[in-house]
Amino acid sequence: MIWDLSVLFKNNDDLENFSRQICEEAEKFECDFAGKFATLSASEFEQCVRRYEQICEGLGRVMTFVYLTFSKDTTQGAFLARYEEETNKAAQKLLFFELEFNELDEAKRAEFSKSERYGYYLKNVAKEKPFQLSKKEESVLLKVSNVGVSAWGRFFDETMSRMEFDFRGEKLGEEEVLAKLSDADRSVRRDAAQSLTDGLKANLHPLTFVMNMVKSDLKNDCDLRGYEFSESARHLDNQISKKSVDALVEAVEANFSIAHEYYAKKGEVLGLGELFDYDRYAPLGEEEERLTYEEAKGLVLEAFGEFSEEFASIARSAFDEGWVDVMPQKNKRGGAFSHSSVSGTHPFILLNYTNKRKDAFTLAHEMGHTIHQFLSYKVGYLNADTPLVTAETASVFCEMLLFEYLKKRTKNVRGLLAGKIEDILATLFRQINFTTFERKVHAKEGELSSEELSQIWFSENEKMFGKTLTLTENYKLWWSYIPHFIHSPFYCYAYSYAQLLVLALFGLYKSGRCENFVELYTEFLSSGGSKSPAELVLKFGFDLEDSEFWQIGLAQVAGLVEEFKRL
């Protein structure tokens, strides 16, 4: 139940030797190609891009090992910093590549972009042209990046992983205290909420400062590059328009009544006069379902196997070959992720498993990412980088596979359905709250106080819960532990995007109308980022630019809530 990182490097000496070699290759690459693109033929440029890809993948291999080491033990900050500095030097040598490609005349860029392997990647590079600075300016920004916003991200991770929350005389980590918010005993949930709040309050000054530094850095980047909005770079990276994101936000906010209906019925079932924020994940009177990690593994393999033997085979390899680090431990980073790593190895999953049913769904979620990442190795390192709006699709789809599998076999259908609805509300509606919170925060001038951040957070979240669930004063501080706000601003709408897309895809799968769905879906994942999200989704007959598309998924959420109300 721990990672085997030897597939990347056998030891630190192996890492050191490889890092030195890849940095030398970067220097030689600059020497061979800088200033010479205009003289290259299309086939020569193809070889140039291939070398560039190999060096980028080598640097990715180094930083995968280093980052995973740090994630497992956040006291390893000096180790992380050392290799960030080394790979930064190599990245300086590669900086010319995209800049000089975009300096070519349009005809030459078009010629090079006819490449069957790299054409789509190069066309996306060209879209960055209006926002690129001079090589000297880009070099300075890259040079200082390790002590800029990425350093604040590291500080956030180290701060959160070191926090201890006092719960009834016991010291708990972040994941352990969060797990108690779904305890069957209301007093446990209430005390856990207080414990979480007290721990955050004790660290509120540094957490607020980090948030403001991220805000300031993003503003500076927008000012320097000429982005119209704070979120513009994210949309460009996701290969979608702000207009489509606005339509998503509008559609979800117009359907917050679905959440209101669910919480009203949940309060009725629980027999509570008033639901509070710490009651959101309360089990419905039945004995709380516990699942050990071994039990969750078995369920995931069976659920995936019913859909696709290839999915199950990849998951089986992940379980058997040390791809997953499972249990919470002191100084381990909180949350969960799947790190793509590089081809020739495999992705790595981080969990903080606490034997809750929701942990089994987190496992399915992250394993979905791993399957997607592993399949996308086929298109190469540069093409494997998937836009977030499709990157979250496989993860949410695999959660649905587990849900449908359990639904056929559990005696507690009501509890399972409630858990699934709450997952969807968190993935869909709450992530839109996160997005509108960020929009308001980044639209404000200057640094914001803890109180201002808390008030924006509170008012945005109230929209989702309405009068059916009361947010306490404690809840005002809970913006401060969300890592996405720090590591990747405006990431969160991708979850909502993917949730609605998956509900539409899953509905198509269950309907049986698409006879080769499994084949098409595997092809969809294997394409990685080599095609646009719109082009990939069109394989299933869905148009992402159609404003009515979002209603397909929202109607299915409403249907689940109606089913819950009937039960």
Side-chain angles (χ1 to χ4, degrees):
M1 294 198 291
I2 59 173
W3 283 325
D4 176 11
L5 299 185
S6 65
V7 69
L8 292 163
F9 298 104
K10 294 182 177 64
N11 50 47
N12 284 0
D13 288 340
D14 190 20
L15 168 68
E16 175 67 21
N17 292 334
F18 183 86
S19 177
R20 187 183 308 112
Q21 178 186 342
I22 206 71
C23 288
E24 289 170 359
E25 289 180 19
E27 189 168 355
K28 188 172 187 305
F29 179 79
E30 182 186 40
C31 217
D32 290 345
F33 291 106
K36 301 174 184 175
F37 283 0
T39 66
L40 299 179
S41 67
S43 61
E44 288 171 332
F45 186 74
E46 179 100 0
Q47 291 304 311
C48 167
V49 183
R50 193 174 293 274
R51 271 183 65 184
Y52 175 75
E53 180 177 49
Q54 290 169 348
I55 296 167
C56 289
E57 186 164 4
L59 294 173
R61 188 185 191 99
V62 170
M63 287 313 300
T64 292
F65 183 89
V66 173
Y67 178 69
L68 294 178
T69 300
F70 172 75
S71 296
K72 185 73 181 286
D73 179 5
T74 58
T75 66
Q76 297 290 318
F79 178 69
L80 174 66
R82 177 191 171 190
Y83 282 97
E84 280 183 334
E85 185 176 348
E86 289 300 312
T87 54
N88 186 291
K89 289 177 184 176
Q92 292 278 346
K93 302 297 181 183
L94 303 178
L95 191 58
F96 77 92
F97 179 83
E98 293 189 359
L99 294 172
E100 292 191 13
F101 175 77
N102 280 337
E103 288 171 3
L104 292 169
D105 63 64
E106 192 172 337
K108 197 73 170 175
R109 283 204 312 274
E111 179 189 358
F112 288 166
S113 296
K114 290 177 183 177
S115 164
E116 184 176 344
R117 181 179 178 87
Y118 299 112
Y120 184 71
Y121 163 75
L122 293 170
K123 288 171 185 174
N124 282 327
V125 170
K127 291 177 183 177
E128 299 281 353
K129 180 178 171 62
F131 310 108
Q132 288 176 331
L133 306 176
S134 69
K135 184 180 177 183
K136 185 174 181 179
E137 290 168 322
E138 294 284 5
S139 179
V140 169
L141 290 176
L142 181 59
K143 180 74 173 174
V144 302
S145 62
N146 290 344
V147 292
V149 73
S150 65
W152 289 115
R154 173 187 151 192
F155 177 73
F156 174 85
D157 286 345
E158 291 182 7
T159 300
M160 292 303 303
S161 66
R162 284 167 171 75
M163 275 192 210
E164 291 185 325
F165 299 88
D166 293 318
F167 178 81
R168 298 182 174 181
E170 187 181 0
K171 298 285 188 183
L172 301 181
E174 177 194 357
E175 293 299 325
E176 294 166 312
V177 77
L178 286 172
K180 291 191 179 296
L181 292 174
S182 56
D183 196 274
D185 186 335
R186 195 182 202 193
S187 69
V188 170
R189 299 195 302 272
R190 184 180 60 243
D191 289 355
Q194 188 62 55
S195 173
L196 175 65
T197 304
D198 291 343
L200 295 173
K201 188 179 293 184
N203 291 273
L204 194 55
H205 175 71
L207 293 174
T208 300
F209 190 75
V210 170
M211 186 72 166
N212 276 303
M213 290 303 97
V214 171
K215 175 178 178 293
S216 297
D217 180 84
L218 186 56
K219 183 180 186 306
N220 289 341
D221 196 56
C222 290
D223 289 346
L224 287 169
R225 298 185 183 281
Y227 291 121
E228 186 176 0
F229 303 102
S230 298
E231 60 201 83
S232 294
R234 179 66 66 197
H235 303 331
L236 185 64
D237 192 50
N238 284 340
Q239 300 167 34
I240 57 175
S241 66
K242 183 176 181 297
K243 181 180 178 181
S244 69
V245 178
D246 290 344
L248 168 64
V249 171
E250 183 179 341
V252 173
E253 289 194 327
N255 284 273
F256 276 158
S257 58
I258 296 173
H260 302 166
E261 287 183 37
Y262 171 73
Y263 287 116
K265 177 56 70 174
K266 180 170 185 175
E268 182 183 319
V269 172
L270 288 173
L272 299 175
E274 184 176 10
L275 279 185
F276 293 101
D277 45 60
Y278 52 77
D279 294 318
R280 282 180 301 148
Y281 301 119
L284 296 178
E286 301 90 347
E287 185 177 346
E288 186 179 10
E289 189 171 0
R290 312 284 289 177
L291 287 172
T292 67
Y293 178 62
E294 290 300 320
E295 289 170 332
K297 277 172 55 176
L299 292 169
V300 165
L301 287 173
E302 290 164 15
F304 287 11
E306 285 194 354
F307 175 73
S308 160
E309 181 49 42
E310 186 171 11
F311 275 39
S313 176
I314 295 171
R316 199 173 295 112
S317 295
F319 291 134
D320 295 344
E321 297 170 15
W323 300 16
V324 191
D325 199 277
V326 181
M327 308 307 291
Q329 67 179 51
K330 186 175 174 61
N331 296 322
K332 182 178 177 181
R333 178 184 158 161
F337 63 69
S338 177
H339 191 291
S340 181
S341 187
V342 292
S343 61
T345 61
H346 53 71
F348 290 83
I349 295 174
L350 179 139
L351 300 174
N352 280 278
Y353 201 89
T354 59
N355 295 326
K356 302 277 189 180
R357 183 175 59 201
K358 71 181 183 64
D359 291 321
F361 281 99
T362 299
L363 172 60
H365 180 103
E366 299 305 340
M367 193 60 74
H369 278 308
T370 283
I371 290 168
H372 192 179
Q373 291 159 351
F374 188 80
L375 289 172
S376 70
Y377 286 167
K378 297 173 185 176
V379 294
Y381 188 76
L382 294 179
N383 287 321
D385 188 19
T386 308
L388 292 176
V389 291
T390 47
E392 289 298 340
T393 305
S395 54
V396 179
F397 191 91
C398 284
E399 285 188 63
M400 290 298 295
L401 289 176
L402 180 60
F403 169 68
E404 287 293 321
Y405 180 83
L406 291 175
K407 192 177 176 184
K408 297 172 189 173
R409 290 159 176 81
T410 185
K411 295 178 181 178
N412 181 13
V413 176
R414 185 178 69 170
L416 179 69
L417 185 58
K420 186 67 226 168
I421 292 170
E422 287 165 11
D423 285 343
I424 291 175
L425 295 182
T427 306
L428 176 57
F429 292 166
R430 192 162 180 252
Q431 302 300 323
I432 292 301
N433 284 341
F434 287 4
T435 299
T436 55
F437 166 74
E438 286 188 285
R439 281 181 163 183
K440 292 199 171 180
V441 166
H442 287 275
K444 296 280 187 181
E445 291 294 327
E447 290 193 12
L448 302 182
S449 66
S450 303
E451 292 74 18
E452 289 173 301
L453 289 165
S454 296
Q455 189 52 53
I456 296 170
W457 168 260
F458 198 78
S459 61
E460 290 305 308
N461 279 269
E462 277 188 316
K463 296 176 185 177
M464 172 179 165
F465 300 111
K467 296 179 180 179
T468 58
L469 187 143
T470 302
L471 298 179
T472 66
E473 284 295 307
N474 282 341
Y475 192 80
K476 286 186 174 181
L477 298 187
W478 290 12
W479 58 268
S480 60
Y481 75 87
I482 308 298
H484 293 99
F485 298 157
I486 308 305
H487 292 293
S488 42
F490 296 103
Y491 181 111
C492 292
Y493 71 77
Y495 287 111
S496 305
Y497 204 107
Q499 180 69 78
L500 291 179
L501 173 55
V502 163
L503 287 169
L505 289 173
F506 206 80
L508 179 63
Y509 165 60
K510 283 180 63 181
S511 73
R513 295 195 309 272
C514 183
E515 293 182 0
N516 62 335
F517 182 90
V518 175
E519 179 185 343
L520 273 180
Y521 189 65
T522 304
E523 181 186 335
F524 170 93
L525 299 182
S526 300
S527 299
S530 64
K531 296 176 181 176
S532 74
E535 185 181 355
L536 290 172
V537 173
L538 197 58
K539 292 176 182 289
F540 303 96
F542 294 130
D543 181 3
L544 291 181
E545 296 301 316
D546 184 353
S547 60
E548 293 299 312
F549 169 73
W550 305 118
Q551 299 304 322
I552 301 172
L554 286 163
Q556 293 212 37
V557 182
L560 288 172
V561 172
E562 287 302 315
E563 183 181 353
F564 173 74
K565 287 162 69 175
R566 287 195 302 272
L567 288 172

